[in-house]
Every structure is written in C-alpha cells, then in structure tokens.
Amino acid sequence: MSIIEIKNLKKSFGDNVVLKDINLEVNEREVLCLIGSSGSGKSTLLRCLNLLETPDSGIIRFNNADIISEKVNINQLRAELGMVFQNFNLFNNLTVLGNLILAPMKVLKMSKINAINRAMENLSKVGMQDFAERAPQTLSGGQKQRVAIARALTMNPKILLFDEPTSALDPEMVGEVLLVMKELAESGMTMIVVTHEMAFAREVASRVIFMDQGIILEEGKPEEILERPKENRTKEFLRRILKY
C-alpha cells in the first residue's frame, strides 16, 4: 500500500533547477535508498517531503492528503515524517534525555513522565539508555547519531527520512549506526535513505533509486541497480563509488 505518492515534483533555487518532474511512490514497510552524485537532488527531494523545502510545483501525497496544497500542520507532518540529519542537530544545552523529550511534550502535548518513558524505550533500542543524562558534546559521532535516531523515533513516526546519516562519521563509527538502521528496517519501519553506503543499500533496501541531475534516471531492486545497471551514468557512478 502506497504511503507516499509524488507526482511531477519540481524545485529550483534561483536559476538552478534541482528537481525536474519527479514521480515516485513509496509503499509501507519499504526501505528506499537514494544514490547519486552530490548535487543530483537526493537531499532536496528528502527535504521537500517534510517541507523543509517548499516545492515549486507538483503533488506530494502522504496518507492520501496532498501536503503541498492543503493547510497542513507542519509540526504534525514532521512528527510523522521523522528526519535524521547528517550533522545530528542535537541541542548541546540539553542532556540526551532532554533532547528526546522536548518535541513529544511541545508538539504531541505528552506528559513529562510519558515522554521520559518513551524516550528511554527508544534510547534502549539504539543502545544509548546509559547515556540519558550525558551532554551531547561528550558523545562520539556514532553515539550522537544513534541519539538522533532515538529522538526521531520518540515522535512515533510513520516514516523515517535519513539524509546521509553516516557521512559525517569516522569510518569505525559507521557500522554502529548502520546496524541500528538495519534493525529498524527489519522491524518494519518505512525508510527513505540518502546514502553512499552501497553495502547497506544492497543488504537492506527494497529498492535503489539512482538520481542524476534532478531526475530519477533508474530504479529497481538492489541487485538490479548495483550489479546490472542499464544507464551509462549509473555505471559511471558505481564505478567511482565501488572502484571496480
């Protein structure tokens, strides 16, 4: 069943056309990996989905409601379309636990005790329950990203959007974050992931989408796109990334 439907989506920044007529459907429990060179439109597409960027034209349907044309409650939308950023975006003036309970109390009007209980449950899911009272700046990059994932989960989202969640991490920390993401995928979470981690895409993705110069050039099952790409641009990109 389709949970997101995108039709004829366009987005420009000045004269720079970043998204050109994007059409895409996302089904519940799917894991989509968006791959492509920097500047191909992957992150902009993700940011349009929860209206961090406002599309110029087109339709984005989420749970059958057009989120662009209707008077959407943006805070509610962002709760249901949780986002995990490249650079964590944690509040350094709050503890780990404080970061997790802020939005549920303010946006979802949850009581503090219920927010704490949900936060601790999600910190446990990512192996960070023992760090609840720590300051974010005392954590490693991998620990910060796991806290950021737990924070997104605390809003009980229907979909998680990941914008290159491992690109700011030291190589030895990448694995711990990808393991958490793999476990989320196995639990049935619908996920859209912008990534350069091809091994993760091959193992976890339901579909891989290759974007190039603002369009979806090619899409299919991981083994189709990563092992038997049809388009020359896809082949060139994978040759650079996989070094074969």
Side-chain angles (χ1 to χ4, degrees):
M1 180 180 174
S2 175
I3 189 169
I4 287 182
E5 186 180 3
I6 302 168
K7 288 185 176 179
N8 310 119
L9 187 69
K10 297 185 174 83
K11 176 63 182 177
S12 300
F13 296 100
D15 294 332
N16 182 20
V17 182
V18 180
L19 296 178
K20 306 169 186 173
D21 206 31
I22 297 290
N23 293 277
L24 179 65
E25 287 191 14
V26 183
N27 297 318
E28 287 188 84
R29 303 174 73 87
E30 263 198 312
V31 178
L32 262 61
C33 282
L34 306 183
I35 65 171
S37 302
S38 295
S40 59
K42 308 180 304 293
S43 293
T44 300
L45 174 56
L46 218 60
R47 291 171 68 85
C48 284
L49 290 179
N50 67 356
L51 300 184
L52 285 170
E53 300 290 352
T54 304
D56 296 334
S57 61
I59 294 170
I60 301 175
R61 290 193 178 279
F62 172 57
N63 279 344
N64 293 319
D66 183 357
I67 65 171
I68 299 175
S69 66
E70 299 197 3
K71 294 194 185 315
V72 66
N73 181 328
I74 288 182
N75 286 331
Q76 183 61 41
L77 176 72
R78 290 176 184 161
E80 296 186 349
L81 284 160
M83 187 119 174
V84 178
F85 297 90
Q86 180 177 337
N87 293 313
F88 326 125
N89 289 13
L90 299 175
F91 297 111
N92 284 329
N93 61 324
L94 299 174
T95 63
V96 164
L97 183 60
N99 269 273
L100 266 71
I101 67 174
L102 182 65
M105 290 172 63
K106 289 200 173 287
V107 177
L108 303 182
K109 308 303 180 188
M110 194 178 287
S111 70
K112 186 173 183 178
I113 188 64
N114 286 342
I116 289 172
N117 288 340
R118 183 182 286 187
M120 292 306 299
E121 179 184 333
N122 285 305
L123 284 172
S124 295
K125 285 181 183 176
V126 302
M128 291 296 294
Q129 66 273 21
D130 294 336
F131 294 80
E133 298 305 325
R134 291 273 292 273
Q137 56 267 42
T138 68
L139 304 179
S140 70
Q143 289 170 332
K144 288 178 183 176
Q145 195 59 292
R146 284 189 281 155
V147 169
I149 293 170
R151 180 178 61 179
L153 288 172
T154 301
M155 297 299 283
N156 201 23
K158 292 185 170 63
I159 299 177
L160 276 182
L161 310 174
F162 292 86
D163 190 6
E164 301 205 31
T166 60
S167 62
L169 302 180
D170 293 332
E172 65 269 21
M173 295 175 186
V174 169
E176 66 187 65
V177 173
L178 293 180
L179 180 60
V180 168
M181 294 170 63
K182 182 182 176 186
E183 288 169 351
L184 285 174
E186 289 170 349
S187 76
M189 174 65 71
T190 307
M191 296 160 56
I192 306 176
V193 185
V194 173
T195 186
H196 287 292
E197 300 290 342
M198 296 301 123
F200 174 84
R202 181 181 281 108
E203 184 179 0
V204 179
S206 315
R207 268 189 293 158
V208 173
I209 292 172
F210 176 71
M211 292 188 65
D212 183 56
Q213 298 181 350
I215 65 168
I216 293 174
L217 188 62
E218 192 167 0
E219 66 176 290
K221 293 185 181 300
E223 58 272 19
E224 293 170 353
I225 302 301
L226 300 179
E227 296 169 19
R228 300 184 297 278
K230 296 185 177 72
E231 300 289 339
N232 286 334
R233 286 289 297 117
T234 317
K235 293 174 185 176
E236 290 169 17
F237 170 78
L238 290 171
R239 199 172 292 122
R240 288 200 313 273
I241 292 289
L242 299 174
K243 296 180 174 59
Y244 62 69

